[in-house]
Amino acid sequence: MGRRFDWTVEVVEFDPPRRMVSRSVEGKLNFTVTFTLEPAGGGTRVTQRIDAVSGLGGIFGKIADPLVERAQGRTVRAYLETLAEWLAEHLQP
């Protein structure tokens, strides 16, 4: 959404290659991010869950939350596209 945020996170759970949970410890937003990986068809399903406190609450939070969700979705899709390109480039025989 045109804004940049810096934060520091700590990994609070790490169970490779199935799950990783991190939470913010510094920054303007409080959140926990959970990644899970599971077999799906011939590949892997990656699920990302973000639990965040917007701090807005009330009607403002109800309006802002869907906008933040869409922006985060775009960010995650861009990360996955970059990852796919990197893997294709670096893992070719």
Side-chain angles (χ1 to χ4, degrees):
M1 293 178 16
R3 304 251 347 231
R4 182 181 177 108
F5 296 96
D6 293 319
W7 60 80
T8 301
V9 299
E10 73 175 340
V11 174
V12 294
E13 185 179 335
F14 189 61
D15 182 21
R18 293 177 276 294
R19 182 175 165 92
M20 183 182 83
V21 180
S22 61
R23 68 178 178 87
S24 62
V25 293
E26 281 183 23
K28 294 182 179 184
L29 301 172
N30 293 319
F31 60 88
T32 301
V33 179
T34 303
F35 283 98
T36 55
L37 289 83
E38 57 191 341
T44 302
R45 177 188 321 262
V46 178
T47 303
Q48 178 188 35
R49 177 183 170 97
I50 301 173
D51 295 298
V53 177
S54 68
L56 297 175
I59 188 67
F60 296 111
K62 291 185 185 307
I63 293 170
D65 286 348
L67 298 173
V68 171
E69 287 175 11
R70 283 196 296 275
Q72 181 62 26
R74 286 191 301 271
T75 300
V76 170
R77 282 189 294 281
Y79 288 162
L80 291 174
E81 288 172 10
T82 301
L83 175 60
E85 291 169 5
W86 187 92
L87 289 171
E89 181 180 321
H90 291 86
L91 297 181
Q92 291 183 6

